[in-house]
Amino acid sequence: QVQLVESGGGLVQAGGSLRLSCAASGRTFSSNAMGWFRQVPGKEREFVGAINWSGGWTYYADSVRGRFTISRDNAKNTVYLEMNSLKREDTAVYYCAARTNGNGAVREYDYHYWGQGTQVTVSS
């Protein structure tokens, strides 16, 4: 069982930066691929980015590539989402997710554990 807790969300002006953290419990974190997703009211949850178990592979949605960076610290059981050059359309609840497979994935149903989410609001 893996429990995930996101933090770091908040209100930021367009063009600003935020770093989200996702702390994981359990002894399997270093073997889990991790993903970040986001959702706005009335819309489906969408893929943001993913990282494999070692951190050697990352992949991003086109909408955030070049602005967002995922990293992980397996010693701290934590994955990060660094968000730069934020836009209003980045406003959403951001979720981290873990899968029992160490290979990264982009589909929501490939992930087995989810956090509660953290709100990110970008103002103009």
Side-chain angles (χ1 to χ4, degrees):
Q1 190 77 6
V2 177
Q3 292 184 325
L4 305 172
V5 179
E6 301 97 336
S7 62
L11 175 64
V12 63
Q13 286 191 330
S17 299
L18 277 177
R19 188 176 81 156
L20 305 184
S21 299
C22 174
S25 66
R27 293 177 288 180
T28 65
F29 178 79
S30 61
S31 62
N32 298 139
M34 302 295 294
W36 284 97
F37 292 76
R38 64 188 183 186
Q39 188 172 27
V40 298
K43 294 189 177 181
E44 293 186 352
R45 192 152 50 185
E46 67 171 356
F47 172 77
V48 174
I51 188 168
N52 75 338
W53 67 275
S54 68
W57 175 92
T58 55
Y59 187 78
Y60 301 92
D62 289 344
S63 59
V64 306
R65 187 174 292 117
R67 300 188 297 122
F68 291 11
T69 302
I70 296 176
S71 61
R72 66 189 297 159
D73 185 338
N74 286 345
K76 296 182 178 179
N77 278 17
T78 302
V79 64
Y80 304 98
L81 180 66
E82 183 77 33
M83 305 185 294
N84 297 315
S85 302
L86 282 161
K87 305 175 182 180
R88 287 191 63 186
E89 51 264 42
D90 295 318
T91 295
V93 176
Y94 284 71
Y95 299 89
C96 73
R99 64 188 308 237
T100 54
N101 191 304
N103 297 319
V106 302
R107 297 173 300 189
E108 188 174 344
Y109 59 78
D110 284 324
Y111 290 83
H112 307 96
Y113 303 100
W114 292 84
Q116 294 299 307
T118 185
Q119 176 71 47
V120 172
T121 303
V122 184
S123 64
S124 58

